[in-house]
Amino acid sequence: MRNRLVAGNWKMNGSLESVRALTRGILEGLDQVGDAGVAVCPPAIFIPEVAALTSGSALAVGGQNVCDQDSGAFTGEIAGSMLKEFGCRYAIVGHSERRNLYGETDDLVARRFVAARRNGLTPILCVGELLEEREAGDTEKVVARQLDAVLAVTGIEGFRDAVVAYEPVWAIGTGKTATPEQAQEVHAFIRNKLSEVDSTIADALTIQYGGSVKASNAEELFSMPDIDGGLIGGASLQADEFLAICRAAG
Ligand code: PEP
């Protein structure tokens, strides 16, 4: 059986006080979550606090991005070694908000992916199409291009024990979820594409779905054969709601 992972992407939300309360709330309900892994990705400045609160628990911590370089004059960036030093296990790369609001290209995302691996972090590689790309019938083309950019740099080995998150951009933060069938179709496409290169790595790959996942729709999404958990934005900001999603994956 593949590893399942539910990861909360807190984006740029919270205060020291609210982040402490949210972390404690999630920790309180963690023993009722089954086998699925659970992670949270706080704003970088709160990572030390969350890492300290979660130390010794099963709740993993991740960065929301990671620099493609290891040190030097890269204002505003955070190196993989820094995330690692503060207890992070994961690093999200290629989130659509980074791609679309901050102009991150496929190539830069691929380099960030490599930097995560180089520093012992598990990359969570986000891929997904814009609404106009879906409407033009280009979903698979876009997702293939985003995967190919990483494959070109790492080869299939880069995907060993990595995580891919399929996040249709039109479903992120919009309340519009892909149907389980729509999501499954793209998840199967991702797995089949990687399977053509190495079926063992592809079969073991955790592929999360992200895009307006809530407690009320998590179970039917996670019941699909190629959906191995979720990357959760808005609904990860409330401990009870997030825990219910985690239980649906467990
Ligand atoms: C996300 O930003 O990765 C995400 C899936 O957000 P939301 O759950 O709010 O749609």
Side-chain angles (χ1 to χ4, degrees), residues 152-191:
V153 186
T154 68
I156 191 69
E157 273 304 317
F159 287 85
R160 191 185 290 280
D161 302 324
V163 177
V164 171
Y166 168 58
E167 300 208 301
V169 181
W170 47 271
I172 296 182
T174 58
K176 230 191 214 182
T177 319
T179 64
E181 293 73 24
Q182 279 175 321
Q184 166 59 26
E185 204 179 356
V186 184
H187 281 236
F189 169 77
I190 293 169
R191 202 177 305 285

Side-chain angles (χ1 to χ4, degrees), residues 9 11 95 97 126 167 171-174 210-213 231-235:
N9 174 12
K11 308 193 185 188
H95 190 279
E97 285 150 20
C126 300
E167 300 208 301
I172 296 182
T174 58
S212 299
V213 178
L231 183 55
I232 319 299

Side-chain angles (χ1 to χ4, degrees), residues 23 42 46-56 59 61 83 85-88:
T23 306
F46 297 134
I47 285 175
E49 183 70 17
V50 175
L53 288 169
T54 58
S55 169
L59 183 58
V61 182
L83 294 175
E85 193 173 359
F86 280 90
C88 286

Side-chain angles (χ1 to χ4, degrees), residues 56-135:
S57 80
L59 183 58
V61 182
Q64 295 179 12
N65 208 349
V66 58
C67 187
D68 61 324
Q69 307 292 321
D70 285 338
S71 68
F74 304 101
T75 302
E77 293 283 332
I78 297 176
S81 61
M82 298 170 185
L83 294 175
K84 193 77 189 163
E85 193 173 359
F86 280 90
C88 286
R89 176 161 170 198
Y90 297 98
I92 298 172
V93 298
H95 190 279
S96 64
E97 285 150 20
R98 299 303 316 172
R99 292 179 189 266
N100 299 316
L101 301 178
Y102 294 94
E104 292 197 11
T105 61
D106 292 336
D107 289 347
L108 175 56
V109 171
R111 292 201 303 278
R112 291 188 187 276
F113 182 102
V114 171
R117 298 235 74 151
R118 189 167 64 235
N119 287 286
L121 298 159
T122 299
I124 299 177
L125 171 67
C126 300
V127 298
E129 80 288 0
L130 300 166
L131 182 58
E132 54 266 36
E133 292 168 332
R134 172 161 282 264
E135 286 173 349

